[in-house]
Every structure is written in C-alpha cells, then in structure tokens.
Amino acid sequence: MNRPTCLTRTALSTALIAALLPLTSQATVSRAAEYFERIATFPVYRNLGSDEDVARQTVAEITAVSRDGRTLIYTDSPGERIGLVDIGDPKLPKPAGFVQLEGEPTSVAVHQHFALVAINTSLSFAQPDGVLAVFDIRNPAQPKRVATLPMGGQPDSIAISPKGRYAAVAIENERDEDLNDGLLPQLPAGFLRIVDLKGQPSRWRTRDVDLTGLADVAPGDPEPEYVSINDQDVAAVTLQENNHIVLVDLRRGRIMRHFSAGQVDLEGVDVKENDRIEPVGVLKGKRREPDAIAWVGPLIATANEGDYEDANGEEGGSRSFTLFDYNGRVWHEAGTSMEHAFIRAGHYPESRSENKGIEPEGIAAASYRKHDLLFVGSERGNAVAVYDVARPWAPVMHQLLPAGMGPEGILPIPSRNLLVVSSEEDSAEDGYRSTISIYQYGAKTASYPEIRSTESQLIPWGALSGLAADRTQNDRLYAVPDSYYKASRIFSIDTSKTPAVIDGQIELRKAGRTVDYDLEGIAQASNGDFWLASEGNGKAKPNLLIRTNAKGEVLEENALPANVAAQQTSNGFEGVAVVGEGASTRVYVAFQREWKNDPAGKVRIGVFNPNSGEWGFYHYPLDPAVEGGWVGLSELTSIGNGQFLVIERDNQQGPAAEVKRLYRIDLSGMQPAAEGQGFPVVNKRLERDLLPDLKSTGGWVLDKVEGAAVDKQGRLFVVTDNDGVEDASGETRFMRLGMVER
C-alpha cells in the first residue's frame, strides 16, 4: 500500500477497503469468540510503604507492562511516583514497590527493557516543564534510572512505535482552568516531541513537531492530549480542546494530515440532573473533543470525552467513540449506542446528565487469538465496553467489563491473554480505593452483567434495594430502587435468561401522581398486591409500610405509632415480608439498626396487622461490627412455616468487608411484644456466608447486599445496590445461589 500522503481521497478509500477486506474473514471467528472475565482486583494502597498511612491518597492512572508481561508499572500522580505490581500469577497480583520521582508522572510506556516515564515538573501553568525519565527494569524489584531527557514543556501522553524506532510525547502545556474561565489560548503552546530510540537511552535524540496553526478553535494553543502510533510509524495525536486530530510522519518529523474531529447530533440522551434517568433529550452539534486515540487497522478510533467550554458557553461531550480514516472521514459513529448499553447494564451516572454523561475517556485496540477488539472506557460509568472490530467500520459490542471508579488506563496484554484497567478515583474516607482490575481472555460466556434491562425497550435502572419472588409465576422476580431515584417504581425481572432481564416496570402512583419513596423492601401478597417498605429518616420523612395493587396504585400507607417512631435514631425500615391472607395477614419488616430504647447489638423486627393496625416487635441479635463500622439488617424474606431469611451486613467494602451473611430465623411459636414491653429475642442460624460469593468474580467487594428472594422452585437470588453509580462503581451483583431448604 502506498504511503497515505500519496493517496487521493478516492484512492485512499479504495485502499482502505482493500486493507480491511482480509479482516472480514474473521467474522466467523468473532461469532464463536471467547470473552474476558475478571480474575483479580489490586487495591493500589497495598503498594504504600510500611511507614505510610494506608488512608493516604494513592492512584493508578496510566499502566504499562514489562516486555515479559509479568510486571505492571503505573503512574501515581498525587504520590509523585511510579508503582510496580507483580502479575507473575495474574490471579494473585502482589505489590512490588514504587520509585519516587521529582514531579507528577503523567504517562508511562515500555520499550525493550526500559520504562519511559513522562514527568511534569512545571513551576506553574505559565512555566511548563518536564522530563522523560528512563528506567532499566530488567530487575523489576530495583528499577535503575539510566537517563533523563528534557521535554521542554509539560508532557502528557507517551507512545512507543510498534517497530520500536520512536517514542512520541504529547507536550500538552495544559491550560489553567481557573484563569479567564479556562478559555484558550493560554501560552506557551504545546507540541509533539519525537524521541529517536537508537542506541542507549543516554544517546537518544529528540525532535519537535509544531502543531500550531492547524485547528479552528485556538490555532495558537493546540494542547495535544493523547498519541498513538501505527505500524507505519504514523502518530495520531488528539488536540482535545481544539477538537482536532493530527497525523504525523515520525520518520520525517512532518505533519501528514490534520482534520477537525467534528460534531455530532444526539437523540435519546438524559440532559437533566433531576434524580431520574430520562434518555429522551436531544443535543445538537456537540463537539467530539476526543481524549484517547488508537489505531484500529488503517482506521483511527477516538474516545470522545468532551472537556472544554468555549467563549460562547458551548461545550463538547458527544458521549461516544468514533472511527475515522486518514482523511477525517467518519466510518463509524457510536452516537448514543454506547450510553444506552450502559443504561441497560445499570451503569448510567444520572448525576452527570447535564455534563457529559458516561464520558468516554480511554481507548485501546488489540487482537486476541485472531479476534480483533476495541476497548472503550467510561470515566463516569466505571466500565469498559469491548467491541468486536472484525469489520472495523461496523463495531459490534462484544461485552461490558465492570471496573473500579474512574477507569483511566486501558492496557491490553495479548501475549498473556490479559487486559488491565487502572481506575484512579481514591478516597479512603468514603470507603473506595483506586484499583487495578485484571481480566483474562478465554471464557466461553460473558459473566457480566448478571442483570440488565431488555433490548426491546430502553428501561433505565439502578440502586436495587429490595427483591421478591412472584407467588404464582416461575422465573419471575420483582425489585425496587431506593430514594436515589425519584418516581418510585417496581421492576419486573425474568430469571429464565442469563443475564437476568428487567423486562418491565410499574411506576407507583398515588391519586394519579408519581411518588418519591425510599423503597428498601418488597413482598407480594397472595392476591397479587405488593407490600413495600419505605425507610424514614427520623425527621420529616416517616417509615412507611405501603400497599399497592398490581398496577402500582397506592392503596394505603401505614406509619409507625408515634411512641415507636419517636425512638428512631437513624436507619429505619429495610426488608419486608408478608404471610397469610385475609384476617390472618401479617406484614413483617426488618429495622436496619438499633433505635434509642433497643439494647446494644439488638435490632427490631416488626410485625404489622393490617386489619387492626397493631404493631408488635422481636429483637434480632446482630453480629459484632469491625472497629469504626456498623452491622445491620437489609432484607427479610419469608420461606414459609414461620421461617425467614435475613441479610445481615456491615457497612464496609473491599478488603475491609467482613459481615455479609444470610441467616435463617424461625418465628413460629413466638409472639411479638408491644412497645414498652420486653421483646422476645429470636434465634438465628447461619444459612450462607455471602462473602465468598461476593469475592468469586475477582472484584472489589461491594458494600450493600440489599435484596434476597426465594422463588417458587426454591431458588435463592441475592442482589446488591449500586448506589446509582455515585461514589460507587455502579457494579450490580445478581447472584444465583442454588436451592433453599424450606
């Protein structure tokens, strides 16, 4: 194929098609393709020094791997260091220490046995500076610095050419977002620095490529963001704020082509932050403003994050990815399809609706066993979409991989059938930490998501907090979301499919209007009505037992007696169960934590008689909590003959999680007591420790195990609450845990 610089648009398109045709033969391979499954999650704080506080902020942003594929090297910006992780056994990653640097590392890449680290040493935005530090990593336990190359500005992304001839560094010289509202231009201008990788690192030479005068937005201030190099030694560079892409011939150090990343119209997006996922909005002319870029054969793929608001108040953020050819012609535009896939998987961040939605940021491409794949990471949706690109002009979503919070770096390691995703959000105070997720290629089926909404319509969902089985239908469950979302509703779930499918929803209405409950539990009565538990806050919002009909019409609301409600301290109603029918109907409700007049370590289970309006109570003995945490109840499920299953959990996540347990209690022959009397204490028997189940997928152990149901056939299901993807990864576990003895 001739050099792209010699081709006209028509000739280029013809050549592209010719180049792409061999890939189409892999379509049959793709249909029988294998999948990734997560095998380990490494919390980055494990790499802190023995004398450091484990609560110290430490992150993994961009990750590279040693030539033998056994050592990860990641950038830790707040710690001003690079960290190393031993993945000799990828299922058991081990901390391998860190190397302190003289500034903030922004990117890392590996060439032969050298790790190249871009370091920002700027005195200020107006005085940008940086270096490229080169480490010999033949002994990963003791990286040896062998060269330091001045960069002449603030470096960002770095890439190595596939043939190993060149490195290219995007010298961003980023803008000060607090200066003049962050508007461009803000000089000095950035550029592309080429490093000729010839000889020993101390002898490497550098050349610069001027990128000014190309873009329409701020031609004097290009701010290059990300760089990727193909096997023809052509570097593709994104100028994110300028909404522009530049192709550079690294051998000659010349610009070959440049073009605008363009704009896109979006239909079916959520554009309001109103505590409801409503993908019905329209956005016109949104600049793509690509962040990461990757070569996919002869095409160029961009993750269109959108990160700039211009002087007219217009900002980018097309919530998608795009495939361009050399001339800037769009071969594929994802539009809203990726965001809709995240909505169906429960990963849509409603709190970002007025910004950039799922905000694609990272992108990478690789081939695994002749299966050509494209990986697109969502910074706000906390997952990576994997696309089959056997036909690059028509990518097909292959699977969705759950990640930690703020996935930034995407690192394919085809030589070991591994994929590594580094997630940079870290807050020990809030319970979540920066992680490195490791996935292995080769599974016959996709293990995630375990529950999603139907393809036939777009049903948004999240924050599942209660679960119940249908009394008459096989393979039918119901779930409710909590107060994270307004307009309370009941989801209908088909469990005959894997993953389970949310195939319907019932919006609750009272006197014809939607209602905003904090639903934490659901149960179905013998006549098909639903009983729902809404948690109060001990103030203006009361705890309520709500009865609706099958259409979701609120028939009654039942509050606690005033003398009981006065005892509330914080957490209130959680799980709910209903037994009996007619005059014998009783509604049971679990209280999450102790109230004022409850003994320490004992929490209430209430019993409500709908016919008389009377309440009675039992005490349930809680397991001890870890220091600084608490333990409470989150579900109550009837399994007949006076027996119930209870979920008891702590408020800890990740390695700190200890109490995630399912207990069985038997209330037959016991009578509840009224307020002011001594409540009988129930006996409990461990039914199942849920911690091994939560750890079984190699992920971060989730905090909120919230719902449990036993269906007509005696099968046990347990679901977690993903907190609406806010200060949480958004991952939902929908666990099928076998049969329960009734």
Side-chain angles (χ1 to χ4, degrees):
M1 181 175 174
N2 293 331
R3 279 196 169 275
T5 48
C6 301
L7 293 173
T8 64
R9 172 181 283 271
T10 302
L12 176 63
S13 298
T14 302
L16 268 171
I17 293 171
L20 291 171
L21 280 175
L23 295 174
T24 63
S25 64
Q26 295 182 20
T28 53
V29 176
S30 299
R31 281 196 290 273
E34 296 167 297
Y35 296 86
F36 289 92
E37 61 179 346
R38 185 178 52 198
I39 58 173
T41 296
F42 179 80
V44 178
Y45 74 81
R46 288 186 56 200
N47 223 1
L48 289 170
S50 58
D51 59 341
E52 294 182 282
D53 185 351
V54 294
R56 173 177 175 169
Q57 186 184 26
T58 178
V59 310
E61 187 175 6
I62 303 298
T63 305
V65 67
S66 59
R67 186 166 53 175
D68 62 5
R70 299 176 64 87
T71 303
L72 299 178
I73 307 105
Y74 65 85
T75 61
D76 180 354
S77 174
E80 296 193 343
R81 54 191 168 190
I82 53 170
L84 297 98
V85 181
D86 178 354
I87 58 167
D89 181 350
K91 294 183 179 179
L92 293 171
K94 301 174 183 177
F98 58 85
V99 177
Q100 201 66 43
L101 305 170
E102 64 268 42
E104 169 196 8
T106 56
S107 188
V108 60
V110 169
H111 168 62
Q112 296 179 354
H113 56 270
F114 300 110
L116 285 65
V117 184
I119 306 173
N120 177 13
T121 59
S122 303
L123 295 176
S124 67
F125 289 102
Q127 297 175 287
D129 200 5
V131 300
L132 185 67
V134 184
F135 293 89
D136 186 324
I137 55 171
R138 279 177 288 191
N139 179 1
Q142 294 181 317
K144 181 181 179 182
R145 190 162 182 165
V146 293
T148 302
L149 282 67
M151 287 290 101
Q154 173 255 316
D156 197 338
S157 166
I158 180 174
I160 308 293
S161 63
K163 296 176 181 177
R165 295 173 178 170
Y166 310 103
V169 184
I171 306 300
E172 182 180 13
N173 292 349
E174 62 182 342
R175 74 189 194 279
D176 182 351
E177 296 186 25
D178 295 325
L179 176 64
N180 194 25
D181 294 326
L183 296 178
L184 299 181
Q186 292 185 20
L187 302 181
F191 52 91
L192 184 72
R193 177 152 288 192
I194 302 169
V195 183
D196 296 309
L197 305 177
K198 186 176 181 180
Q200 292 301 306
S202 61
R203 300 177 63 85
W204 291 349
R205 296 294 179 260
T206 63
R207 296 173 284 137
D208 294 343
V209 179
D210 182 9
L211 302 176
T212 61
L214 306 179
D216 292 333
V217 177
D221 187 10
E223 293 210 19
E225 182 79 20
Y226 207 93
V227 59
S228 177
I229 307 172
N230 70 5
D231 58 6
Q232 299 298 310
D233 293 331
V234 176
V237 186
T238 58
L239 314 184
Q240 184 173 29
E241 288 81 0
N242 281 268
N243 195 37
H244 213 74
I245 295 169
V246 182
L247 302 182
V248 177
D249 180 341
L250 296 179
R251 183 174 70 87
R252 298 178 179 177
R254 296 178 183 175
I255 294 173
M256 300 167 54
R257 275 177 178 74
H258 65 91
F259 50 86
S260 169
Q263 300 173 330
V264 65
D265 296 337
L266 301 174
E267 294 186 4
V269 290
D270 189 351
V271 296
K272 295 181 179 179
E273 293 174 16
N274 59 355
D275 300 327
R276 299 182 65 169
I277 302 176
E278 298 176 304
V280 296
V282 176
L283 295 172
K284 295 288 187 179
K286 301 302 289 184
R287 295 193 302 268
R288 291 187 172 97
E289 293 182 359
D291 188 331
I293 192 167
W295 288 93
V296 183
L299 298 182
I300 307 162
T302 61
N304 305 325
E305 180 190 19
D307 195 38
Y308 180 61
E309 181 175 312
D310 65 20
N312 297 318
E314 295 294 327
E315 63 177 16
S318 66
R319 310 182 181 206
S320 67
F321 69 93
T322 308
L323 285 156
F324 298 92
D325 66 17
Y326 275 102
N327 289 313
R329 175 188 171 195
V330 173
W331 282 65
H332 176 80
E333 168 56 50
T336 58
S337 62
M338 180 173 162
E339 186 155 281
H340 286 184
F342 274 63
I343 290 174
R344 288 188 170 94
H347 274 265
Y348 180 74
E350 202 286 323
S351 64
R352 301 291 299 175
S353 292
E354 292 181 7
N355 293 283
K356 296 179 283 290
I358 61 171
E359 207 165 317
E361 183 170 13
I363 201 164
S367 181
Y368 290 77
R369 297 175 182 169
K370 298 183 180 181
H371 189 192
D372 297 314
L373 298 171
L374 178 69
F375 307 92
V376 187
S378 164
E379 181 182 10
R380 302 295 179 173
N382 302 331
V384 174
V386 184
Y387 288 87
D388 181 327
V389 287
R391 294 183 173 93
W393 59 88
V396 176
M397 183 174 280
H398 186 60
Q399 67 180 124
L400 193 70
L401 299 174
M405 290 180 58
E408 176 83 11
I410 302 175
L411 174 66
I413 312 177
S415 63
R416 296 193 67 195
N417 287 316
L418 298 177
L419 173 72
V420 172
V421 176
S422 46
S423 301
E424 63 176 337
E425 294 296 322
D426 185 80
S427 175
E429 181 180 357
D430 296 311
Y432 58 83
R433 305 307 303 265
S434 172
T435 61
I436 294 175
S437 302
I438 303 174
Y439 313 84
Q440 191 165 54
Y441 184 74
K444 299 305 179 185
T445 59
S447 59
Y448 192 85
E450 295 173 333
I451 183 170
R452 63 174 179 84
S453 60
T454 178
E455 292 288 342
S456 63
Q457 56 181 313
L458 191 57
I459 301 178
W461 64 276
L464 301 184
S465 57
L467 201 63
D470 189 277
R471 284 178 173 263
T472 60
Q473 299 182 63
N474 289 326
D475 304 317
R476 179 61 57 187
L477 300 182
Y478 301 100
V480 290
D482 62 24
S483 62
Y484 187 84
Y485 300 108
K486 290 183 178 178
S488 298
R489 62 199 60 223
I490 298 170
F491 294 114
S492 182
I493 304 170
D494 180 357
T495 62
S496 69
K497 300 178 174 65
T498 301
V501 176
I502 297 173
D503 57 8
Q505 58 182 329
I506 305 166
E507 194 169 71
L508 302 188
R509 291 188 174 269
K510 181 180 178 182
R513 296 185 176 182
T514 61
V515 285
D516 301 329
Y517 295 124
D518 185 4
L519 299 181
E520 297 289 349
I522 179 173
Q524 189 184 45
S526 58
N527 66 352
D529 287 352
F530 292 107
W531 282 92
L532 308 167
S534 179
E535 185 176 18
N537 58 11
K539 298 176 183 177
K541 189 174 185 178
N543 290 281
L544 295 174
L545 281 181
I546 303 150
R547 183 169 68 91
T548 77
N549 60 22
K551 297 179 181 179
E553 297 167 334
V554 175
L555 304 177
E556 58 182 272
E557 295 178 338
N558 300 279
L560 288 166
N563 62 331
V564 178
Q567 304 301 321
Q568 183 170 0
T569 53
S570 56
N571 308 59
F573 286 175
E574 284 288 320
V576 64
V578 57
V579 300
E581 55 186 332
S584 66
T585 299
R586 297 293 183 271
V587 184
Y588 293 76
V589 61
F591 292 51
Q592 187 162 66
R593 297 175 64 188
E594 304 98 316
W595 283 12
K596 292 177 184 176
N597 57 353
D598 293 325
K602 291 186 173 61
V603 69
R604 298 173 184 233
I605 293 178
V607 185
F608 176 66
N609 183 337
N611 299 287
S612 67
E614 295 177 341
W615 283 85
F617 302 94
Y618 301 96
H619 265 141
Y620 176 99
L622 295 169
D623 289 348
V626 299
E627 184 178 353
W630 55 259
V631 168
L633 304 184
S634 60
E635 181 64 293
L636 183 68
T637 303
S638 171
I639 54 175
N641 297 321
Q643 295 189 51
F644 299 82
L645 296 180
V646 177
I647 289 180
E648 188 174 343
R649 69 168 180 89
D650 58 21
N651 65 334
Q652 305 297 300
Q653 54 182 297
E658 290 188 6
V659 181
K660 314 289 182 188
R661 296 168 186 155
L662 190 71
Y663 282 100
R664 180 189 293 249
I665 61 173
D666 189 344
L667 301 183
S668 60
M670 297 180 66
Q671 293 298 317
E675 181 68 23
Q677 301 177 7
F679 304 157
V681 179
V682 305
N683 292 316
K684 64 181 186 179
R685 175 167 62 87
L686 182 65
E687 184 77 13
R688 188 183 186 103
D689 183 356
L690 299 173
L691 205 52
D693 300 301
L694 292 166
K695 292 179 176 179
S696 65
T697 59
W700 182 258
V701 175
L702 303 174
D703 171 14
K704 297 184 177 179
V705 189
E706 291 280 289
V710 178
D711 70 3
K712 275 190 64 181
Q713 301 170 64
R715 298 175 300 181
L716 172 65
F717 301 84
V718 173
V719 71
T720 61
D721 177 354
N722 74 355
D723 276 336
V725 205
E726 185 170 356
D727 289 340
S729 70
E731 181 173 349
T732 296
R733 295 294 315 280
F734 184 83
M735 298 180 286
R736 303 168 188 253
L737 301 180
M739 303 298 290
V740 169
E741 180 183 348
R742 293 185 182 275

